[in-house]
Amino acid sequence: MAASLRLGRQGILFGLRLSSTFDRCLWATHPCQENVRHFFRSPWILGVSPVKVEMPALSPTMEEGSIVKWLKKEGEPVAAGDALCEIETDKAVVTMESNDDGVMAKILIEEGSRNVRLGTLIALMVEEGQDWKQVEIPPPEAAAPSATDASAAPVVAPAAPSPAPPPTPATSGPLRLSPAARHILDTHGVDPNLATPTGPRGLITKEDALNLLKTSPVPKATPAMAAPAAPSPVPTLAATRLPAGSRPNIPPLSVPGKPGAPGTFTEIPASNVRRVIAQRLTQSKTTIPHAYASVDCDMAAVMHLRKDLAKEQIKVSINDFIIKAAAVTLKEMPEVNVTWSGDGPRALDSVHISIAVATDKGLITPIIKDAADKGVQEISSNAKALAQKARDGKLLPEEYQGGSFSISNLGMFGISGFSAVINPPQACILAIGTSRSELRLCEDDQTLRTQQLMTVTLSSDGRLVDDELASRFLDKFRGNLEQPRRMALA
């Protein structure tokens, strides 16, 4: 028995040694198998794991952005802090910086792409030392931009739908039409027998007539949809006009390339700034109860002081005095220097004046911070610098957010007076008109005197500033503006 166990163990050991020798011989005779194994493990097949670059939130109110220009090209090294691209936010064009070191491997969203949602994958990077050409590109559904990219892929025009067959008469017996349905069908020359009545006792309603217009063939009187039998010159504008007394087809016909023709339009893409302005104006007029109050201010003293300063080579504008007067008045009446939050009024510790600046993309409101503590000359230099940055699209978020009071001046355009829309969450905005000469009675000596009057209109949030408080504010503002030397000492 012991001999049998010893022979069995020796046989097993001999078999294991024989198997090991066989494997070494096999790999020696086929060295390419090791290369194949390394080939399938190489990054050339598996791809280099990318570092994702997504659309960031470059301002607190930003929801989407547009890529203006890429500052790095594919294959260029990138260090942390380097500028990757310029992105147009809801207020300005901001430079996006890299957070990592590496190499720009693939740009997924090209220059000029608009309305790219936050979090959208816009580019791929790889780490230093890796082959950027072998970057692993995510699936199309993960890398597809949410905005329209004209250079991403050719757009295939959909096939023209085949014309629907004319509807067959759906009514039997005497026709019963509502007055509105009869007018619509008679105007467009459509047979009422083709309508499907849905009203009580077989009545053809207005909706039935409109539905019939959508499916019925267009009358011959409409030349815009008629296909020419042979090539002909471009029709003139008169050929697209509808007969006198008729109304456009429903829905309106769009005829590209014919300005002024009925139913034509030109679609203008809205910038991010314009869309944010529209959103905030709609929010303001629908959620804030606006109240308005106006007062005339005598600008003679300000104009005289401005001329004296000009002789000393100190150039300031009328608007600079207005900003100073508003800031001083807010400091004297802190109950007006408030904003509205979700829980109610919120008193502000500082006086930050927002000034409306017209740009090519819309109105921007940069902020002059702590305006009550600054002189008129310092306010003037700050206003000029902020206005230029706003027109260049280079305002930083802290330069246009956090204002407590807004001023909009249209006096340079000859506007005598207007009412401005409140910029939420602020409580007031002051609209400034142009100055004018008027002959008025002086109450002191009962004599006539020419005055330089300027109309200002305060739009106030009725939840925060009632009519009495608004009236006191305007009265104190007028006093500060009509006595600029006292205002400078405040």
Side-chain angles (χ1 to χ4, degrees):
M1 177 64 69
S4 300
L5 291 175
R6 218 170 19 250
L7 289 175
R9 184 174 60 184
Q10 292 176 356
I12 293 173
L13 294 175
F14 175 77
L16 291 175
R17 284 195 292 268
L18 181 63
S19 175
S20 176
T21 303
F22 178 77
D23 288 342
R24 286 196 299 270
C25 294
L26 184 62
W27 284 108
T29 55
H30 298 282
C32 64
Q33 293 187 9
E34 185 68 20
N35 296 332
V36 170
R37 182 174 61 181
H38 288 290
F39 174 78
F40 280 102
R41 291 180 180 177
S42 65
W44 192 86
I45 293 296
L46 297 179
V48 178
S49 179
V51 177
K52 297 182 179 181
V53 180
E54 299 177 344
M55 174 64 72
L58 299 176
S59 71
T61 58
M62 177 180 173
E63 295 181 357
E64 55 188 23
S66 302
I67 297 180
V68 179
K69 182 180 180 181
W70 278 101
L71 305 177
K72 291 290 184 179
K73 298 181 180 179
E74 295 181 359
E76 290 187 0
V78 178
D82 286 356
L84 293 181
C85 62
E86 294 179 352
I87 297 177
E88 181 187 2
T89 67
D90 53 345
K91 293 290 185 180
V93 177
V94 183
T95 301
M96 174 186 174
E97 298 180 352
S98 174
N99 297 325
D100 305 294
D101 298 333
V103 179
M104 177 63 70
K106 184 67 176 178
I107 295 176
L108 301 177
I109 305 296
E110 299 294 336
E111 294 181 0
S113 300
R114 308 183 62 83
N115 307 332
V116 182
R117 300 290 299 179
L118 297 184
T120 302
L121 194 61
I122 61 175
L124 298 175
M125 293 174 51
V126 296
E127 298 180 357
E128 296 179 352
Q130 293 182 333
D131 188 0
W132 62 271
K133 296 182 180 180
Q134 308 301 332
V135 64
E136 182 180 352
I137 301 178
E141 59 271 12
S146 60
T148 303
D149 186 2
S151 61
V155 179
V156 180
S162 58
T168 57
T171 60
S172 60
L175 288 175
R176 301 182 68 252
L177 289 83
S178 66
R182 185 182 301 277
H183 178 73
I184 292 174
L185 297 178
D186 290 346
T187 300
H188 297 279
V190 179
D191 186 5
N193 290 308
L194 302 178
T196 301
T198 60
R201 293 177 294 177
L203 178 68
I204 298 177
T205 63
K206 176 183 177 181
E207 288 73 16
D208 300 334
L210 295 177
N211 292 332
L212 177 61
L213 289 180
K214 297 178 182 179
T215 58
S216 62
V218 180
K220 296 181 180 180
T222 307
M225 296 296 293
S232 58
V234 178
T236 61
L237 178 61
T240 63
R241 293 174 180 168
L242 296 176
S246 63
R247 293 188 295 181
N249 195 9
I250 301 176
L253 302 177
S254 177
V255 186
K258 293 182 175 61
T264 62
F265 63 92
T266 301
E267 186 174 355
I268 302 175
S271 64
N272 290 344
V273 176
R274 176 62 61 186
R275 281 150 33 98
V276 171
I277 291 174
Q279 178 184 357
R280 292 181 63 81
L281 288 179
T282 303
Q283 173 192 354
S284 176
K285 293 296 289 185
T286 56
T287 62
I288 297 178
H290 283 58
Y292 307 98
S294 299
V295 70
D296 290 335
C297 302
D298 190 355
M299 303 299 294
V302 170
M303 292 182 176
H304 182 73
L305 177 59
R306 184 167 175 259
K307 290 181 180 179
D308 293 342
L309 294 176
K311 295 178 182 179
E312 301 177 7
Q313 303 301 320
I314 300 176
K315 297 182 179 180
V316 292
S317 66
I318 299 294
N319 197 55
D320 300 329
F321 285 97
I322 294 172
I323 295 172
K324 177 64 175 179
V328 170
T329 307
L330 286 173
K331 193 170 184 178
E332 294 174 343
M333 299 181 61
E335 60 269 28
V336 183
N337 191 32
V338 294
T339 59
W340 181 267
S341 64
D343 300 330
R346 178 180 297 174
L348 302 177
D349 299 331
S350 303
V351 178
H352 301 328
I353 303 296
S354 302
I355 55 174
V357 177
T359 67
D360 296 337
K361 300 177 182 179
L363 287 178
I364 306 296
T365 54
I367 298 172
I368 299 179
K369 296 187 176 181
D370 300 319
D373 301 330
K374 296 180 179 179
V376 178
Q377 188 175 8
E378 186 178 1
I379 290 176
S380 178
S381 60
N382 288 356
K384 291 178 182 178
L386 289 172
Q388 188 60 44
K389 293 184 68 174
R391 295 187 183 98
D392 296 339
K394 297 181 179 180
L395 282 177
L396 300 177
E398 58 270 15
E399 293 176 330
Y400 60 81
Q401 293 176 355
S404 56
F405 190 93
S406 293
I407 296 177
S408 180
N409 191 342
L410 296 181
M412 68 285 294
F413 300 107
I415 304 300
S416 58
F418 68 102
S419 300
V421 182
I422 298 174
N423 185 17
Q426 296 178 9
C428 299
I429 182 171
L430 197 64
I432 310 298
T434 186
S435 60
R436 63 195 185 278
S437 298
E438 284 192 7
L439 191 62
R440 289 201 172 186
L441 179 64
C442 181
E443 297 181 357
D444 297 336
D445 52 6
Q446 297 296 313
T447 58
L448 294 176
R449 187 176 61 181
T450 301
Q451 294 181 337
Q452 289 290 332
L453 299 180
M454 181 184 70
T455 301
V456 298
T457 302
L458 180 68
S459 303
S460 56
D461 186 345
R463 301 170 299 180
L464 297 170
V465 180
D466 55 23
D467 295 340
E468 187 271 339
L469 184 58
S471 301
R472 288 196 292 114
F473 176 86
L474 284 177
D475 183 64
K476 190 172 288 292
F477 169 80
R478 178 175 56 184
N480 288 327
L481 194 59
E482 292 180 349
Q483 302 179 35
R485 296 185 185 275
R486 182 180 68 87
M487 175 186 65
L489 299 175

